[in-house]
């Protein structure tokens, strides 16, 4: 029923800091929405990320897209049948969100969720805040959101059984993390069990690896901005780093995210940890950082590799022979990885 993560909003009175962060580091286009609102564009839509001065710092909302009015009504009925309070928001809020209509409700952790249809397209082309090739959005949505939660199990029941998310994969070490999809993006939502509810990070995916590297250079030039060093994930194959926003949660700047086939995908438990290499997480305890580091070093000893995910026109074939890749191509592809 849900198609993609359409937009996200965060409460903060640090609009100037957010404007600088969003444009100069991430490459978003800033759009003024009066004295209390700062919006960011990533593509042809009027807005994807909103910073609201009137909301308390630490508050947030997430807009999940559905196909049309009938899908929105069906979702509202399903939520009410599950005894979840639903609010049909007024036209004024829909206009502020840049959509035709929306409903609002909360997940078990209290996060405000909005479901909408009819996102507005801007009349002017996207103009990035700095020179980047663009963001990978479209039917995949703006990226993914990762929440910290007190308990994963109750949240999983809500997102899977009520909202229709599907589990992509999960891990128990070095921390519990579950990943969910609603479209071919490997995950649009993830939950990390930390003992408290909060915002962990928002991921934006860029078209070019060099965009990520140049953003990394910008972040390295700012004190305490990098929260997770450059690295590559084991499950969605994303090459990325994480930077601290003016609101303390992180944004993951990534490239090369994996697509899956939701119709055939089978979830598995991951035993290799979250990253193939890199991604030193400064927010972990020293003990957990040692566990994660030991996992990465084991993968290095074993020669763990994963194919790079590229779009048509975003690569050039080189001459030469790659024994590893030739061996991979000869192996039968497991059904779960199709």
């Amino acid at each position: 029923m849900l198609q993609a993560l359409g937009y996200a909003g965060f409460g903060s009175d640090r609009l100037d800091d957010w404007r600088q962060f969003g444009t100069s580091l991430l490459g978003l286009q800033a759009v003024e929405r009066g004295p209390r609102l700062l919006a960011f564009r990533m593509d042809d839509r009027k807005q994807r990320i909103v910073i609201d001065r009137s909301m308390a710092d630490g508050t947030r909302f997430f807009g999940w897209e559905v196909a049309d009015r009938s899908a929105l009504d069906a979702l509202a009925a399903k939520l009410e049948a599950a005894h979840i309070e639903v609010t049909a928001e007024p036209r004024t809020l829909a206009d502020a969100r840049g959509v035709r209509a929306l409903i609002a409700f909360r997940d078990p952790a209290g996060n405000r969720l909005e479901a909408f249809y009819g996102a507005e397209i801007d009349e002017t082309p996207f103009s990035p805040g700095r020179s980047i090739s663009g963001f990978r959005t479209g039917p995949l949505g703006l990226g993914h959101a990762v929440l910290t939660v007190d308990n994963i199990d109750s949240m999983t029941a809500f997102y899977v059984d009520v909202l229709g998310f599907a589990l992509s994969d999960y891990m128990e070490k070095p921390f519990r993390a579950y990943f969910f999809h609603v479209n071919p993006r490997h995950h649009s939502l993830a939950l990390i069990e930390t003992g408290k509810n909060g915002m962990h990070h928002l991921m934006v995916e860029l078209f070019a690896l060099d965009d990520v590297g140049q953003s990394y250079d910008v972040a390295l030039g700012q004190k305490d901005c990098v929260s997770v060093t450059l690295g590559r994930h084991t499950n969605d194959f994303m090459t990325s780093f994480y930077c601290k926003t003016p609101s303390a949660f992180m944004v993951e700047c990534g490239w090369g995210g994996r697509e899956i086939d939701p119709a055939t995908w089978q979830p598995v438990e991951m035993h290799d940890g979250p990253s193939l290499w890199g991604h030193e997480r400064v927010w972990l305890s020293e003990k957990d950082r040692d566990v994660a580091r030991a996992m990465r070093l084991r993968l290095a000893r074993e020669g763990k590799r994963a194919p790079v995910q590229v779009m048509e026109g975003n690569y050039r074939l080189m001459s030469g022979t790659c024994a590893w890749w030739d061996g991979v191509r000869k192996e039968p592809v497991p059904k779960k990885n199709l």
Side-chain angles (χ1 to χ4, degrees), residues 135-153:
F135 295 95
R136 188 169 177 236
T137 56
L140 298 178
L142 78 83
H144 68 234
V146 178
L147 305 174
T148 62
V149 297
D150 177 55
N151 182 273
I152 278 181
D153 299 324

Side-chain angles (χ1 to χ4, degrees), residues 43 47 68 103 189 297:
D43 51 18
Q47 60 191 36
D68 49 30
I103 60 174
L189 173 73
L297 292 176

Side-chain angles (χ1 to χ4, degrees), residues 253-267:
C253 297
W255 170 84
R258 179 186 204 172
E259 285 190 26
I260 63 171
D261 181 353
T264 60
W265 185 261
Q266 296 296 315

Side-chain angles (χ1 to χ4, degrees), residues 102-313:
L102 75 151
I103 60 174
F105 51 98
R106 293 189 181 272
D107 69 13
N111 294 295
R112 178 183 168 92
L113 307 182
E114 299 176 357
F116 72 93
Y117 79 96
E120 291 185 53
I121 303 301
D122 202 287
E123 296 176 352
T124 60
F126 169 61
S127 178
R130 65 176 185 81
S131 183
I132 59 169
S133 58
F135 295 95
R136 188 169 177 236
T137 56
L140 298 178
L142 78 83
H144 68 234
V146 178
L147 305 174
T148 62
V149 297
D150 177 55
N151 182 273
I152 278 181
D153 299 324
S154 62
M155 291 282 279
T156 296
F158 172 79
Y159 278 99
V160 173
D161 299 338
V162 179
L163 293 186
F165 284 74
L167 182 65
S168 299
D169 44 43
Y170 65 98
M171 64 183 177
E172 301 292 338
K173 293 181 179 179
F175 48 81
R176 291 192 79 198
Y178 282 57
F179 302 82
F180 305 90
H181 62 268
V182 291
N183 59 46
R185 190 184 288 281
H186 177 272
H187 59 280
S188 294
L189 173 73
L191 306 174
I192 301 177
E193 191 172 272
T194 63
K196 63 179 183 178
N197 299 315
M199 181 69 193
H200 188 269
H201 76 264
L202 188 73
M203 187 281 295
V204 296
E205 185 176 2
L206 292 126
F207 281 138
L209 177 60
D210 289 334
D211 291 332
V212 174
Q214 289 163 357
S215 292
Y216 194 50
D217 277 345
V218 173
L220 286 172
Q222 301 177 14
K223 185 179 180 182
D224 298 326
C225 183
V226 174
S227 297
V228 181
T229 62
L230 191 67
R232 192 173 187 220
H233 285 302
T234 52
N235 59 351
D236 69 353
F237 302 155
M238 191 81 71
T239 300
S240 64
F241 74 96
Y242 297 61
C243 48
K244 187 182 295 185
T245 71
S247 296
F249 70 85
M250 297 179 289
V251 167
E252 178 185 7
C253 297
W255 170 84
R258 179 186 204 172
E259 285 190 26
I260 63 171
D261 181 353
T264 60
W265 185 261
Q266 296 296 315
V268 296
E269 180 178 358
M270 301 184 296
H271 297 284
D272 291 333
S275 302
L276 286 163
W277 53 268
H279 280 161
E280 186 75 13
R281 293 163 172 82
V282 302
W283 51 271
L284 281 177
S285 68
E286 191 58 41
K287 179 181 178 181
D288 286 342
R289 288 175 70 180
D290 287 342
V291 171
R293 192 177 299 115
M295 285 181 163
R296 297 197 303 272
L297 292 176
R298 175 176 62 81
L299 296 184
R301 290 193 298 271
E302 295 173 355
K304 185 80 171 182
R305 305 286 184 268
V308 175
Q309 313 294 298
V310 296
M311 297 180 296
E312 188 66 39

